[in-house]
Amino acid sequence: MSPLSLNSITEKELVALCLKGDRISCKQLFELHSGKMMALCYRFARDKNEAEDILQEGFIRIFNKLDLYSGEGVLEAWMRRVMINTALKYKQKNVTKHNYSDIDDKHVFDPTPTIIEEMSKDEILRLVQNLPDGYRTVFNMYVIEGYSHKEIADSLGIGESTSRSQLVKARTLLKTQLLNLIRLAG
Amino acid sequence: MKNFDEKIRDKLFNAEMPVSSGLWDAIEQNLDRKDKRPKVWFLLMSLLIGLPLLFFAYYYPISVDSKEKPSLENTDDKYFAENSVLSDRFENFVDTENLVSDNSMKLNQTLSIEKIPSLSYNSIGSFKNSPQNLSFQIASGNKQRKLTPFTQIGLAGLNKEIIFQLNQEEDILLFPRLFNSGNDCPDFKRKWPGLYLYSQLGSYYPFQSLSSDGSEMSSLISERDLTESGVPSFSFETGLGYDFYNGLFVQTGISYNQINIKFYHRQEDIINNITSIIIDTLFNPQGEVVSINKDTSVYQEIGVQELTVNNSFKMLDIPISVGYSYPLTDKIHLRASAGLIFNMRTRSRGYMVDSNGEPYEYGRNDNDLFKTKWGLSYSGALDLETIINDKFSFNAGLNMRYFSKNINVSTNAVDQRFFNLGIVAGVKYRI
């Protein structure tokens, strides 16, 4: 759903109405962003149920802290940050421990990037979803959300080198999975 | 590698997924629940008001102990004589009026006046270990002529007293000395014996803490932590207070606080262009100008640029505190207090770095970074009070203030809080 297709009201005006406690506007804001945020949460979660739990917590947080949104910059970017923080906190609470092993990668395989272009979003999402929890978190934060290794290390309480090695492992695993797909396709 | 990452990012960054239909309802319910949560400040206020009341209730049980009479030695015999005379006169008065039988109960009540001294009016709840000789007294009876029952409750100590009289209709004729225990008796003419004026000056060190909701501001926070540091700040407070008999005291007034933060920014490798103009004038032996050569050159000087500014937060507050004063000796009391400070107005001005590490000024003409009202903060103090004479005393000790709330407006993404710790000295004048 495009932000402008909802109605003539701008996103800024919608935020202002939400801050005044207008629940209809809150619902509109939720509907405007819930699709993208759900996909984001799903990438961090184990399954759809967990993703919806994170999404719910994240939106409650967003509405409670909406007054902290400066109005400068894109609202979606701010929401993504809040949602990622919520996902990380959720996982800290609900998962015993991620395996952030500091292992050097032995080989890096580089499949043809055109394979990715030919794949649908859902197929790639499924591949990412198959990554182990720790790898997936680092991969999502670095590759999709654009966090630096320092920021990832700060957020997850791990070393920067661990973040780097997890990323390499995640890439390697993804590429291995892609290779297997190519082989299966013949 | 970048190609691989970018392609996956392109596919997934804007991907959308459907959401269950009932999810919004669940979110909305939680938003409602949040609105109904009681405010922290309300709970704290309730505690501040409730705890002293509990203290009173615990230490002043209303009970009559007719055996203990620690101050009766101070009571002169004349008192009993006066009471018995009055009682006799009253009995005569009743007789002469020929009261009918339904007044007999009132008569009995009136006769109990004689028993009032035996109530040991100065003994109930007596604190022997306290230099203030605190006591709680209760009495009841009928007035001399009108047979009007009344109840009088008093709390007395050295030169201090609180008297409550229930169902009072006119001045008491019979009982002004009921609470009188001799030379140490309180003066009933003073209504607010514990009232005092106070002023105090404080110097403290502000500890500033910066935080952010997400990790995106971590580099800016690190930069600000490097460039901003607390320096000695000060406060002045004046107002009214009240000392209760049990050692509790309350005080409120108005205060001015100034938090000072030193901003220091150093920029390396600043290139400064220096223009040099050399003028050569050639004279002949007669002193006439033969030629003028002007040579202009520009060279660069590399150095550092330092900026040191005192950032200030000037606040006008209303403090309210409740405390307890423990007498270490007759002249020296140890006092501990806690309270709330309501910020009425704050003006902020200074320098800070932006996300690029560049310094910029705020607050000269307008302030879009900090709130002008910081709301509620919490205070605590521990000091020694030295009593100079009946009127004056001095105090000095430790003082703290904590701002639990973020002082920023929403346009400023970095949360900022203060914890002030310092010393305070003041003077107290009993009215």
Side-chain angles (χ1 to χ4, degrees):
Chain A
M1 194 183 302
S2 157
L4 294 174
S5 69
L6 193 70
N7 50 40
S8 58
I9 202 164
T10 66
E11 199 172 60
K12 240 180 183 176
E13 287 167 336
L14 212 52
V15 170
L17 286 169
C18 289
L19 285 171
K20 285 178 186 170
D22 180 15
R23 286 293 154 80
I24 295 165
S25 302
C26 289
K27 192 179 179 186
Q28 283 182 327
L29 200 65
F30 169 77
E31 284 168 351
L32 207 59
H33 293 282
S34 58
K36 273 188 188 176
M37 294 303 141
M38 179 64 189
L40 184 153
C41 293
Y42 184 62
R43 281 189 281 108
F44 283 86
R46 278 178 299 196
D47 51 36
K48 204 175 170 221
N49 286 337
E50 195 175 278
E52 287 201 337
D53 283 350
I54 296 168
L55 187 74
Q56 183 179 330
E57 268 186 42
F59 265 106
I60 290 166
R61 224 168 149 209
I62 284 167
F63 286 120
N64 287 338
K65 298 199 169 192
L66 202 57
D67 58 325
L68 296 178
Y69 169 60
S70 62
E72 302 292 320
V74 185
L75 176 68
E76 190 192 307
W78 179 75
M79 286 171 93
R80 287 185 95 97
R81 289 274 172 175
V82 176
M83 207 58 84
I84 291 166
N85 286 339
T86 310
L88 297 179
K89 277 186 184 169
Y90 183 92
K91 289 173 85 64
Q92 273 174 2
K93 266 195 297 183
N94 295 287
V95 178
T96 47
K97 193 82 183 169
H98 292 312
N99 181 22
Y100 289 110
S101 53
D102 202 348
I103 312 162
D104 296 330
D105 66 316
K106 285 163 189 163
H107 66 281
V108 177
F109 185 78
D110 192 19
T112 325
T114 47
I115 302 165
I116 300 165
E117 282 175 5
E118 287 167 9
M119 290 172 77
S120 71
K121 284 176 187 176
D122 286 347
E123 284 171 326
I124 296 172
L125 196 58
R126 219 172 299 138
L127 280 179
V128 174
Q129 206 61 24
N130 282 338
L131 289 172
D133 242 11
Y135 295 178
R136 194 170 74 238
T137 306
V138 174
F139 184 82
N140 276 325
M141 290 177 82
Y142 186 87
V143 176
I144 320 286
E145 302 301 332
Y147 280 60
S148 68
H149 282 298
K150 189 181 182 314
E151 286 174 318
I152 295 169
D154 288 345
S155 302
L156 300 176
I158 56 174
E160 271 186 66
S161 58
T162 309
S163 173
R164 283 176 208 281
S165 69
Q166 295 287 305
L167 181 69
V168 174
K169 297 297 283 181
R171 278 199 196 112
T172 313
L173 255 175
L174 268 180
K175 286 168 188 174
T176 311
Q177 286 182 22
L178 280 168
L179 190 69
N180 287 339
L181 279 175
I182 296 166
R183 277 179 193 155
L184 282 171
Chain B
M1 202 63 62
K2 203 165 186 181
N3 201 18
F4 175 81
D5 286 356
E6 274 175 5
K7 284 189 186 302
I8 288 188
R9 187 177 191 276
D10 290 346
K11 286 272 182 182
L12 295 186
F13 187 77
N14 286 316
E16 291 192 26
M17 273 182 78
V19 178
S20 299
S21 54
L23 197 67
W24 169 251
D25 294 334
I27 291 170
E28 197 174 21
Q29 274 176 12
N30 278 285
L31 292 178
D32 285 337
R33 197 183 306 160
K34 206 254 173 189
D35 293 342
K36 287 171 190 168
R37 265 183 220 166
K39 299 277 184 191
V40 176
W41 67 264
F42 178 77
L43 292 173
L44 280 169
M45 281 290 281
S46 307
L47 275 176
L48 272 173
I49 294 165
L51 282 176
L53 289 176
L54 279 174
F55 187 85
F56 266 113
Y58 182 75
Y59 280 102
Y60 295 103
I62 298 174
S63 63
V64 177
D65 179 4
S66 60
K67 289 175 186 171
E68 196 180 348
K69 299 177 184 177
S71 299
L72 275 180
E73 292 78 12
N74 294 330
T75 311
D76 50 20
D77 293 333
K78 203 177 163 187
Y79 175 80
F80 296 100
E82 278 174 3
N83 275 288
S84 62
V85 167
L86 285 167
S87 300
D88 292 339
R89 277 166 57 191
F90 189 79
E91 280 175 19
N92 294 335
F93 169 74
V94 172
D95 288 342
T96 52
E97 291 292 314
N98 291 319
L99 286 172
V100 288
S101 60
D102 61 352
N103 275 338
S104 61
M105 193 178 71
K106 289 179 181 175
L107 180 65
N108 289 337
Q109 285 178 340
T110 310
L111 288 174
S112 71
I113 291 167
E114 283 186 330
K115 294 177 183 173
I116 285 167
S118 69
L119 275 175
S120 182
Y121 49 85
N122 214 13
S123 68
I124 304 164
S126 176
F127 286 77
K128 287 180 179 175
N129 56 346
S130 163
Q132 287 179 301
N133 189 24
L134 300 175
S135 62
F136 182 78
Q137 303 156 336
I138 184 166
S140 65
N142 290 326
K143 287 186 183 177
Q144 190 182 8
R145 295 186 187 281
K146 287 189 174 179
L147 294 174
T148 311
F150 76 94
T151 305
Q152 187 167 297
I153 299 169
L155 182 65
L158 262 178
N159 299 320
K160 295 170 182 179
E161 75 290 327
I162 302 171
I163 301 297
F164 301 98
Q165 181 165 338
L166 310 177
N167 55 328
Q168 181 179 358
E169 290 182 357
E170 58 179 358
D171 290 343
I172 305 163
L173 301 174
L174 182 59
F175 297 100
R177 294 192 64 192
L178 186 64
F179 295 92
N180 193 334
S181 60
N183 293 333
D184 289 342
C185 75
D187 176 3
F188 281 81
K189 286 174 189 171
R190 293 172 60 202
K191 277 194 171 178
W192 300 97
L195 198 64
Y196 62 83
L197 284 168
Y198 75 96
S199 292
Q200 57 190 31
L201 197 63
S203 177
Y204 56 84
Y205 184 87
F207 295 90
Q208 177 177 274
S209 71
L210 305 172
S211 62
S212 171
D213 192 39
S215 57
E216 65 268 27
M217 290 295 159
S218 56
S219 58
L220 176 60
I221 289 172
S222 307
E223 188 70 27
R224 282 193 58 191
D225 279 335
L226 282 173
T227 53
E228 294 172 31
S229 57
V231 287
S233 306
F234 70 94
S235 68
F236 175 75
E237 183 178 327
T238 186
L240 279 170
Y242 197 88
D243 278 327
F244 293 98
Y245 299 102
N246 56 357
L248 280 179
F249 65 89
V250 291
Q251 56 186 37
T252 184
I254 191 157
S255 72
Y256 173 81
N257 274 274
Q258 183 168 326
I259 296 178
N260 294 325
I261 299 290
K262 183 182 162 190
F263 174 84
Y264 173 75
H265 185 261
R266 182 186 167 96
Q267 211 169 348
E268 306 280 350
D269 302 329
I270 296 290
I271 298 170
N272 192 22
N273 287 326
I274 295 173
T275 305
S276 164
I277 303 168
I278 300 165
I279 300 170
D280 282 333
T281 309
L282 197 64
F283 297 94
N284 61 19
Q286 287 75 38
E288 294 164 341
V289 175
V290 178
S291 67
I292 298 173
N293 285 326
K294 192 175 172 184
D295 182 26
T296 305
S297 60
V298 178
Y299 65 92
Q300 290 182 332
E301 199 177 59
I302 300 172
V304 294
Q305 188 177 32
E306 289 182 332
L307 177 63
T308 308
V309 184
N310 192 28
N311 292 353
S312 65
F313 299 92
K314 297 174 179 176
M315 291 171 279
L316 199 61
D317 304 314
I318 293 182
I320 298 173
S321 62
V322 179
Y324 179 73
S325 176
Y326 180 77
L328 297 173
T329 68
D330 285 351
K331 295 282 183 188
I332 297 174
H333 290 198
L334 177 67
R335 304 193 313 165
S337 65
L340 301 172
I341 302 177
F342 300 90
N343 179 242
M344 308 304 289
R345 181 84 185 162
T346 296
R347 286 190 69 184
S348 321
R349 191 173 164 180
Y351 273 75
M352 69 167 68
V353 287
D354 61 16
S355 52
N356 299 319
E358 296 291 328
Y360 71 99
E361 189 178 7
Y362 64 86
R364 181 179 281 276
N365 298 316
D366 61 312
N367 193 347
D368 57 355
L369 291 176
F370 299 105
K371 291 172 186 167
T372 53
K373 285 180 185 172
W374 287 9
L376 203 61
S377 56
Y378 312 102
S379 67
L382 187 70
D383 61 28
L384 286 173
E385 181 186 10
T386 306
I387 298 163
I388 307 299
N389 55 37
D390 285 349
K391 291 288 183 189
F392 282 101
S393 60
F394 291 107
N395 64 287
L398 295 170
N399 185 276
M400 62 73 76
R401 181 176 180 183
Y402 176 62
F403 299 84
S404 67
K405 285 194 172 178
N406 174 26
I407 60 166
N408 291 356
V409 293
S410 55
T411 47
N412 186 353
V414 178
D415 291 353
Q416 191 162 339
R417 288 176 174 79
F418 283 106
F419 173 71
N420 299 340
L421 185 65
I423 51 170
V424 68
V427 62
K428 198 165 122 178
Y429 175 76
R430 287 172 199 83
I431 299 169

